[in-house]
Amino acid sequence: MRESISATDGATRQLDKYFTLLVVLAAVLASITGLRNGFALDDVEVIIRNPLLHTLASPWGLFQTTYWRPEMGATLYRPLAMISFATQWVIGGGSPLPFHVNSIALYACLSAAVYRFAKLV
């Protein structure tokens, strides 16, 4: 009796992994066309026109700056986002591709997490 219960649990876990993978695949397929897009909206002001984000020479300096440059109002404090932006800029040499790949990966992970959470409730 115990063996059949564990075999059923194993099959259920395996099926759950496949459904999670299906959710991740659906999220990636739904957003894959965005890879060809350029920078848009606030990306121009926050990323392209901010020379502090074009190098990783002083990553700790990004903990001392605001999300919006002084001429844009110098509001919001998002140091981890700024370090992420600088890293993606350096990796891609200023290309928007790493930004889009990162966004799609985060979207796929979040989709899987929401699916897994929904299964708990």
Side-chain angles (χ1 to χ4, degrees):
M1 181 77 173
R2 202 172 223 332
E3 290 177 19
S4 64
I5 292 173
S6 67
T8 304
D9 287 346
T12 301
R13 274 185 260 140
Q14 189 68 20
L15 190 59
D16 193 42
K17 287 180 185 179
Y18 287 130
F19 280 128
T20 303
L21 182 61
L22 186 63
V23 167
V24 168
L25 185 61
V28 170
L29 289 175
S31 55
I32 198 84
T33 59
L35 289 177
R36 298 185 327 197
N37 293 344
F39 289 106
L41 305 172
D42 64 339
D43 297 342
V44 174
E45 295 300 329
V46 174
I47 299 168
I48 294 176
R49 294 187 181 157
N50 189 347
L52 294 174
L53 297 179
H54 299 173
T55 180
L56 287 173
S58 179
W60 294 112
L62 296 173
F63 280 93
Q64 300 171 353
T65 188
T66 58
Y67 184 78
W68 293 102
R69 296 183 329 275
E71 60 269 21
M72 300 298 297
T75 58
L76 302 179
Y77 180 69
R78 297 180 178 169
L80 298 180
M82 301 295 273
I83 289 173
S84 173
F85 292 161
T87 303
Q88 292 171 76
W89 181 276
V90 169
I91 287 171
S95 166
L97 183 62
F99 293 88
H100 296 311
V101 168
N102 185 50
S103 293
I104 291 170
L106 290 172
Y107 174 55
C109 289
L110 181 60
S111 298
V114 168
Y115 167 74
R116 301 293 295 216
F117 179 73
K119 289 213 26 109
L120 294 175
V121 236

